[in-house]
Amino acid sequence: MTAWSEETDSVYGAWRVQLRMSRVLFQEKSGHQDIVLFENPLYGRVLVLDGIVQTTERDEFFYHEMLVHVPLLTHGAVRRALIVGGGDGGALEELLKHAAVERVTMVEIDRSVVEFSKTHLKAICGDAFEDPRLELVIADGVQWVKDCAERFDLILIDSTDPVTSGEVLYTPAFYAACAAILDEGGLLVTQNAVPFTEPESLGAPLAALGASFAATACYRVAVPSFYGGDMVFVLAGQTSESLGVADRELEARFAAAGLDTRYYTPAIHRGAFALPPYIAEMIG
Ligand code: SAM
């Protein structure tokens, strides 16, 4: 009997997507969420949290390269970075490809996600969790950021969707606490919604960010395993200049970083900020 993992539309109840589970590798109800890891003929290993696809072996690079390299090459001098969430290690692995990054703190609420990712999702996290530049903290990101005395050049919020345990990571209070621990010129990037299927989910985080960051800019990527087309990231800083980089300078930074990417290029970076009108209208 073939087993299927099903993700359903929590907004309109209009769709459901089923992925074949050729083999279930890990299943647990942790203290924070329902975790399922299975193999699929097309996507390879797939991580599902609370019924929502988080990442897959075959398309993770779409999401992780755009989450990491866009803000990092925009900033140009990131030494200390903070990841909130990101337990699968995909964002961490991309971040650590940048030799100039001296220290990464990852604050993940669920130890189970990290432990089984180290074992079963090597294709996504590689040996990133063994890197001496990493400080791994198992804690609620909201409390940890509130109590934090350190300063960072870059904050990556690689959380679950605003409809699950990650909801607390989309609030004005959390963004204000993040703004307070960013050094001058520091940037924050957060995964946001899939506008076509969750049009209501775009505005609120943007308004919440706008309360603590003088400048925000949305960019997009279509991740095959995220149903509904383009998903949106939001880049935030305290000046609009800090959100941009000249073409030639971007090319030079990309070349100097010596990255071997499968999705990200400077041209893709540029194009990702060109939003189709249906998204631009939602942002207002
Ligand atoms: N790429 C995925 C996506 O776009 O949906 C996100 C992947 S990552 C696995 C999300 C992580 O956020 C999970 O491991 C989850 O445990 C973590 N998380 C959720 N709420 C959190 C919180 N309050 N503090 C820290 N981590 C949190």
Side-chain angles (χ1 to χ4, degrees), residues 33 47 49 54 63 85-88 107-110 113 139-141 158-161 165-166 168-169 191 226:
Q33 52 214 339
L47 167 63
L49 296 178
Q54 300 293 308
Y63 173 92
D88 54 70
V107 181
E108 164 57 58
I109 199 166
D110 197 334
V113 176
D140 175 1
D158 182 14
S159 72
T160 42
D161 290 3
S165 62
V168 289
L169 301 174
Q191 76 108 358
F226 292 3

Side-chain angles (χ1 to χ4, degrees), residues 19 51 92-93 117 153 166 175 188-189 191 200 232 234 239 245 247 280:
L19 294 181
L92 176 65
E93 198 221 16
S117 295
D153 303 307
Y175 292 142
L188 174 144
V189 66
Q191 76 108 358
E200 314 303 326
V232 165
V234 185
T239 65
V245 52
D247 288 0

Side-chain angles (χ1 to χ4, degrees), residues 3 77 155 199 213 234 255 268:
I155 299 177
F213 290 89
V234 185
I268 291 280

Side-chain angles (χ1 to χ4, degrees), residues 23-250:
R23 191 158 68 101
V24 175
L25 298 162
F26 183 94
Q27 190 151 16
E28 177 189 294
K29 195 170 181 40
S30 78
H32 302 282
Q33 52 214 339
D34 265 336
I35 306 174
V36 185
L37 183 72
F38 60 88
E39 278 174 356
N40 172 270
L42 170 65
Y43 288 107
R45 293 184 175 186
V46 179
L47 167 63
V48 172
L49 296 178
D50 287 340
I52 300 176
V53 172
Q54 300 293 308
T55 193
T56 86
E57 283 180 325
R58 278 227 32 234
D59 70 358
E60 60 87 17
F61 62 93
F62 288 62
Y63 173 92
H64 290 125
E65 290 185 10
M66 292 304 277
L67 173 70
V68 172
H69 305 318
V70 169
L72 211 132
L73 294 172
T74 299
H75 184 287
V78 173
R79 302 285 175 270
R80 288 151 309 155
L82 169 65
I83 302 174
V84 179
D88 54 70
L92 176 65
E93 198 221 16
E94 293 301 327
L95 202 47
L96 293 169
K97 287 180 181 173
H98 293 265
V101 171
E102 293 162 3
R103 189 172 151 73
V104 179
T105 303
M106 176 193 274
V107 181
E108 164 57 58
I109 199 166
D110 197 334
R111 185 180 296 285
S112 305
V113 176
V114 172
E115 289 315 317
F116 77 69
S117 295
K118 280 191 214 176
T119 312
H120 298 290
L121 290 177
K122 275 273 183 210
I124 295 179
C125 62
D127 297 326
F129 286 108
E130 276 52 72
D131 193 297
R133 292 173 288 172
L134 171 65
E135 177 202 9
L136 175 62
V137 180
I138 301 298
D140 175 1
V142 171
Q143 197 55 48
W144 191 89
V145 168
K146 208 161 139 203
D147 301 339
C148 178
E150 280 184 69
R151 291 292 173 271
F152 296 93
D153 303 307
L154 177 62
I155 299 177
L156 300 175
I157 304 175
D158 182 14
S159 72
T160 42
D161 290 3
V163 288
T164 60
S165 62
E167 194 175 2
V168 289
L169 301 174
Y170 295 82
T171 61
F174 175 63
Y175 292 142
C178 287
I181 62 169
L182 274 173
D183 232 333
E184 195 174 335
L187 298 176
L188 174 144
V189 66
T190 180
Q191 76 108 358
N192 203 308
V194 175
F196 188 80
T197 52
E198 311 154 288
E200 314 303 326
S201 302
L202 197 58
L206 263 175
L209 275 165
S212 301
F213 290 89
T216 57
C218 292
Y219 63 100
R220 61 193 168 85
V221 59
V223 180
S225 60
F226 292 3
Y227 178 75
D230 286 321
M231 69 155 292
V232 165
F233 291 106
V234 185
L235 183 62
Q238 295 307 355
T239 65
S240 48
E241 292 71 38
S242 69
L243 303 187
V245 52
D247 288 0
R248 206 183 286 252
E249 179 57 22
L250 181 60

